Amino acid sequence: MWRDPVVPLIEAVDVTKRFAGGLGREGTLALAGLSLAIHAEKPSIIAVVGESGSGKTTLARLLLGLAEPSRGEIRYRGTNLRALDRDGRRAFRHDVQAVFQDPYGVYNPFYRIDHVLTTPLRRFRLAGSRAEARQLIGEALRSVGLQPEEILGRFPHQRVMVARALLLQPKLIVADEPVSMVDASLRATILGSLRELTDEHGISVLYITHDLATAYQVSDAILVLYRAHLVEAGDVGRVVTAPRHPYTQLLVSAIPRAHLAREWLAQEEDSRRNGVTPTAAGCCFAERCPLAMPACVAGPPGLYRIQPRRAVACVQYQDHPTLPRGNPGEVLCD
């Protein structure tokens, strides 16, 4: 089937998600007016980082069709997910796969790896025989550093989930905290597997994480979220090594570093409050920002393009060109 290369594989268009509060309570804003386009013809790894409650997993669930936006649209090849017909939904499930944080919570613990890997082959009719199915499973497992003869018959774990996603040869894998539950040595192996998916198989990855260090290690571009809002986006090297938004600077400063002269038991500076009274209309980071000024609480900041591959939502940079609010697309592309 002919595909228009201009139309993104998957696209979030001004997406907002608010969870109802119940019993008269105000709802919780989980994602605020974010736009993002991922093209199948330009495979890359985009990291989405931020602290707990920033909206990372909400974005992942929206892109996977596991939640519906309160406003805006999620589109697959130009069509709203809600409007896909049966064939369209089947194609979407083939092209967009997920790797979740906890394999034991995602898959029935009764089933072994063999069942987890043969089910998608059978459902999408990717193997014409058992021998072909075994060959495809073997190739996928070896691609993530696992030997079929050693792993089949056991119960699923994280690298098997990556192999399962690879098995379908999708266009995009949404990986939600895929290394947060594993030790350091296995973390490096899984991150290497994700990088190989893009470099060798042409699969894009949306890497959801709270860990800036691993985002820097494996990603091409990065989105930084804070309390449902996009605060900085662009080339991962530039954002992590020279952050411009005060929140990104705070995240980078929290990365552990070895300093022989550091007083490890000394009290850290409290960055929780600065005396600024936040407003619903103002910047979401105003009350924690060391550079807060009256303009920060008067209204929401624009998204300013301060470099060819860097955008920051901060009034410090309001003299720079303004991008559409919540839409960093122009700075995520080479």
XYZ file of all heavy atoms in Angstrom, residues 226 244-251 253 269-276 283-294 296 314-316:
271
model
N 7.016 19.178 32.723
C 6.853 19.506 34.141
C 5.386 19.827 34.384
O 4.815 20.714 33.738
C 7.721 20.702 34.538
C 7.530 21.111 35.986
C 8.048 20.327 37.015
C 6.816 22.256 36.325
C 7.863 20.686 38.341
C 6.637 22.620 37.656
C 7.160 21.826 38.658
O 6.963 22.176 39.971
N 18.607 25.207 29.372
C 18.254 26.619 29.425
C 17.051 26.890 30.326
O 16.967 27.957 30.913
C 17.977 27.139 28.010
C 19.199 27.145 27.111
C 20.265 28.116 27.620
N 21.414 28.204 26.715
C 21.481 29.020 25.685
N 20.451 29.808 25.404
N 22.546 29.044 24.926
N 16.109 25.972 30.387
C 14.959 26.199 31.264
C 15.364 25.915 32.709
O 16.094 24.952 32.985
C 13.787 25.291 30.876
C 12.496 25.691 31.528
N 12.189 25.355 32.834
C 11.439 26.412 31.066
C 11.003 25.855 33.139
N 10.524 26.497 32.093
N 14.944 26.732 33.666
C 15.327 26.509 35.067
C 14.962 25.121 35.590
O 15.713 24.565 36.410
C 14.559 27.603 35.817
C 14.400 28.700 34.818
C 14.206 28.008 33.493
N 13.862 24.547 35.118
C 13.513 23.202 35.587
C 14.485 22.166 35.028
O 14.923 21.263 35.744
C 12.087 22.841 35.192
C 11.738 21.410 35.525
C 11.707 20.976 36.853
C 11.467 20.473 34.528
C 11.409 19.667 37.182
C 11.160 19.161 34.843
C 11.134 18.763 36.162
O 10.843 17.455 36.477
N 14.833 22.284 33.756
C 15.807 21.358 33.177
C 17.151 21.496 33.892
O 17.842 20.501 34.138
C 15.983 21.615 31.676
O 14.711 21.769 31.053
C 16.722 20.454 31.018
N 17.519 22.716 34.222
C 18.759 22.929 34.975
C 18.700 22.223 36.327
O 19.685 21.630 36.782
C 18.990 24.431 35.155
C 19.281 25.158 33.856
C 19.272 26.669 34.003
O 18.935 27.199 35.058
N 19.645 27.378 32.943
N 17.533 22.264 36.962
C 17.354 21.576 38.242
C 17.494 20.069 38.069
O 18.140 19.394 38.883
C 15.985 21.924 38.820
C 15.644 21.333 40.191
C 16.587 21.881 41.259
C 14.196 21.639 40.548
N 16.897 19.523 37.010
C 17.014 18.084 36.752
C 18.469 17.685 36.532
O 18.939 16.680 37.074
C 16.185 17.697 35.525
C 14.677 17.590 35.668
C 14.061 17.159 34.331
C 14.293 16.591 36.751
N 21.158 19.192 37.514
C 21.943 19.347 38.740
C 21.716 18.192 39.709
O 22.537 17.957 40.597
C 21.593 20.663 39.427
O 20.280 20.627 39.973
N 20.224 22.762 49.170
C 19.412 23.970 49.058
C 17.987 23.598 48.686
O 17.751 22.793 47.790
C 20.017 24.890 47.990
C 19.258 26.188 47.834
C 19.876 27.052 46.759
O 20.955 26.683 46.262
O 19.289 28.090 46.430
N 17.025 24.176 49.361
C 15.626 23.875 49.107
C 15.152 24.665 47.894
O 15.178 25.893 47.880
C 14.786 24.241 50.331
C 13.319 23.863 50.156
O 13.022 23.149 49.187
O 12.498 24.293 50.989
N 14.731 23.942 46.864
C 14.259 24.592 45.644
C 12.747 24.514 45.501
O 12.208 24.783 44.448
C 14.913 23.933 44.414
O 14.527 22.568 44.337
N 12.073 24.134 46.579
C 10.640 23.941 46.473
C 9.851 25.250 46.398
O 8.830 25.327 45.742
C 10.131 23.130 47.677
C 10.637 21.708 47.737
C 10.194 20.885 46.572
N 8.752 20.838 46.441
C 8.107 20.233 45.462
N 8.796 19.662 44.498
N 6.804 20.215 45.406
N 10.272 26.306 47.096
C 9.499 27.537 47.136
C 10.432 28.745 47.018
O 11.556 28.744 47.501
C 8.711 27.642 48.452
C 7.666 26.547 48.643
C 6.502 26.727 47.668
N 5.482 25.714 47.904
C 5.445 24.547 47.283
N 6.391 24.246 46.410
N 4.480 23.694 47.532
N 9.930 29.804 46.382
C 10.723 31.018 46.235
C 9.952 32.255 46.667
O 10.413 33.372 46.456
C 11.185 31.170 44.783
C 10.011 31.185 43.814
O 8.849 31.299 44.219
N 10.300 31.057 42.533
N 8.780 32.087 47.239
C 7.985 33.219 47.676
C 7.034 33.754 46.627
O 6.187 34.597 46.916
N 7.143 33.276 45.372
C 6.242 33.713 44.308
C 4.900 32.998 44.459
O 4.852 31.785 44.667
C 6.854 33.409 42.920
C 5.853 33.704 41.819
C 8.116 34.222 42.726
N 3.144 30.553 34.500
C 4.070 29.454 34.260
C 3.921 28.395 35.352
O 3.842 28.725 36.543
C 5.501 29.989 34.233
S 6.767 28.700 34.142
N 3.929 27.135 34.950
C 3.729 26.038 35.902
C 4.899 25.892 36.869
O 4.755 25.277 37.936
C 3.514 24.731 35.147
S 4.893 24.252 34.069
N 6.054 26.460 36.527
C 7.251 26.306 37.363
C 7.547 27.563 38.182
O 8.541 27.616 38.903
C 8.455 25.984 36.475
C 9.690 25.535 37.220
C 9.687 24.382 37.992
C 10.855 26.277 37.155
C 10.818 23.972 38.681
C 12.000 25.873 37.829
C 11.975 24.718 38.603
N 6.677 28.555 38.118
C 6.982 29.864 38.695
C 7.327 29.807 40.177
O 8.266 30.470 40.630
C 5.806 30.815 38.464
N 6.604 29.000 40.973
C 6.830 29.015 42.418
C 8.141 28.345 42.827
O 8.597 28.520 43.960
C 5.669 28.356 43.153
C 5.505 26.875 42.862
C 4.374 26.253 43.671
O 4.106 26.749 44.783
O 3.775 25.282 43.198
N 8.768 27.586 41.926
C 10.042 26.940 42.238
C 11.210 27.578 41.503
O 12.358 27.225 41.747
C 9.976 25.449 41.880
C 9.023 24.637 42.720
C 8.992 23.181 42.267
N 10.281 22.528 42.436
C 10.552 21.290 42.002
N 9.616 20.589 41.377
N 11.733 20.769 42.196
N 10.901 28.507 40.617
C 11.944 29.047 39.743
C 12.760 30.121 40.447
O 12.213 31.096 40.984
C 11.302 29.631 38.483
S 12.505 30.299 37.318
N 14.085 30.021 40.447
C 14.927 31.044 41.088
C 14.963 32.349 40.307
O 15.432 33.373 40.823
C 16.309 30.386 41.124
C 16.297 29.420 39.987
C 14.893 28.901 39.916
N 14.462 32.332 39.066
C 14.499 33.523 38.221
C 13.107 34.117 38.011
O 12.917 34.946 37.117
C 15.118 33.176 36.859
C 16.514 32.553 36.887
C 16.950 32.158 35.482
C 17.516 33.505 37.513
N 12.135 33.704 38.810
C 10.751 34.127 38.605
C 10.614 35.644 38.683
O 11.261 36.310 39.489
C 9.856 33.462 39.642
N 9.740 36.164 37.826
C 9.465 37.602 37.766
C 7.957 37.787 37.572
O 7.236 36.806 37.325
C 10.262 38.230 36.607
C 9.918 37.664 35.252
S 10.992 38.278 33.919
C 12.497 37.344 34.234
N 7.449 39.005 37.690
C 6.001 39.196 37.554
C 5.412 38.634 36.267
O 4.290 38.128 36.260
C 5.861 40.727 37.617
C 7.008 41.166 38.462
C 8.136 40.235 38.118
N 6.063 35.993 34.841
C 5.915 34.535 34.917
C 4.543 34.110 35.414
O 4.074 33.018 35.082
C 6.993 33.945 35.824
S 8.674 34.232 35.246
N 9.963 29.702 28.364
C 10.378 30.562 29.479
C 10.419 32.007 28.992
O 10.965 32.285 27.907
C 11.748 30.137 30.004
S 12.331 31.126 31.406
N 9.876 32.930 29.797
C 9.804 34.332 29.385
C 11.177 34.986 29.253
O 11.292 36.062 28.660
C 8.927 35.150 30.361
C 7.495 34.659 30.346
C 9.500 35.095 31.778
N 12.210 34.358 29.791
C 13.568 34.889 29.604
C 13.922 35.016 28.125
O 14.758 35.838 27.741
C 14.604 33.964 30.243
C 14.535 33.805 31.726
C 15.643 32.864 32.164
O 16.799 33.258 32.285
N 15.293 31.604 32.398
